[in-house]
Amino acid sequence: MSAFIALLIAALPVAQSSTADIVRAERERLNECLALADDDAELALEESLAWIGEGARPAARYCNAIALIGLGEYRDAAVRLEELANAPDAGGLGDRAVYLAQSGNAWLVAGYPDAAIVALTNSLKIEPQDPGVLTDRAAAYLGTDQYELAQADLDEALALVPNSVDALQMRAQLFLENGDYDAAEDDINRALLLDRENINTLVLRGDIREAKRLAAEG
């Protein structure tokens, strides 16, 4: 073994340790920035911009997008999360799926259901059985009057997580709008058993009962 190779091998543990320290420090900084976004989104945005100025690492760009969400800048956040998901340095497929899911949610809140469908569909190509993403895409489909696709996503989400109050509420609303009052009542009663204090569930149950009453009188 040459002296050079011996020196290189001896240096490997130090290099690996140094890399691990960098990753750990970056993760800690990201966690701090995300926590700050909950408390003071403006300050988190400033921190993210300073961090981006140091090298624009994926964690810095992610923190920037989350800070924008905290500030209510959902459209800009959606764009940046989607760009991050498609960037060469975005990380593994699991990371990309998360970025796309959050981008889709931000598009939905911003009022762009068509863009939300694209992002959420791309997320589901990576993680096909994510009930939260399926429920979000159902909401986006409802926003574009694609009711059959919305119900298909909700059916699948509830097959995966039968106790999802959000999915039950959404499907009950869909059934109500389609005039299927018995199915709507079944779903809303299930949601009520899971969370008796949920105001949205209680309001929707009232709407369903009123619709059934009017239908019976008519």
Side-chain angles (χ1 to χ4, degrees):
M1 180 184 296
S2 71
F4 174 77
I5 294 176
L7 287 171
L8 182 60
I9 292 174
L12 279 175
V14 176
Q16 290 169 348
S17 176
S18 177
T19 300
D21 289 343
I22 292 171
V23 170
R24 188 180 304 109
E26 186 171 85
R27 186 182 302 115
E28 289 175 357
R29 185 172 181 179
L30 175 59
N31 289 336
E32 290 171 0
C33 189
L34 296 179
L36 184 60
D38 279 339
D39 296 332
D40 189 337
E42 189 71 46
L43 193 56
L45 182 64
E46 293 177 9
E47 160 63 18
S48 72
L49 291 172
W51 194 0
I52 287 171
E54 296 170 16
R57 294 275 297 154
R61 294 171 355 242
Y62 180 62
C63 178
N64 181 258
I66 299 303
L68 287 171
I69 288 175
L71 290 169
E73 301 290 341
Y74 296 107
R75 184 182 180 281
D76 288 345
V79 170
R80 296 185 192 193
L81 284 164
E82 206 159 356
E83 289 174 346
L84 178 57
N86 294 316
D89 59 350
L93 289 176
D95 296 322
R96 295 174 192 272
V98 169
Y99 300 147
L100 287 165
Q102 292 181 328
S103 173
N105 189 270
W107 279 123
L108 191 57
V109 175
Y112 296 86
D114 288 314
I117 290 169
V118 172
L120 294 167
T121 298
N122 286 333
S123 179
L124 287 165
K125 288 177 181 177
I126 302 171
E127 299 285 352
Q129 292 189 309
D130 187 315
V133 179
L134 286 164
T135 302
D136 284 344
R137 190 173 67 172
Y141 280 139
L142 288 174
T144 56
D145 297 331
Q146 299 184 74
Y147 301 111
E148 290 184 5
L149 291 174
Q151 184 175 339
D153 274 358
L154 291 170
D155 289 346
E156 188 174 353
L158 285 165
L160 294 164
V161 183
N163 293 337
S164 170
V165 173
D166 287 343
L168 286 167
Q169 287 176 345
M170 199 178 300
R171 194 170 67 175
Q173 182 69 52
L174 178 58
F175 285 143
L176 173 61
E177 292 176 4
N178 288 337
D180 192 346
Y181 304 132
D182 289 337
E185 194 166 47
D186 286 344
D187 273 356
I188 210 63
N189 285 339
R190 283 173 58 192
L192 191 61
L193 286 172
L194 294 166
D195 185 357
R196 292 188 175 276
E197 304 300 323
N198 190 302
I199 187 63
N200 293 326
T201 299
L202 293 169
V203 169
L204 185 52
R205 183 180 64 167
D207 290 343
I208 293 167
R209 287 181 172 179
E210 179 65 10
K212 288 188 72 173
R213 185 187 66 80
L214 292 173
E217 290 178 353

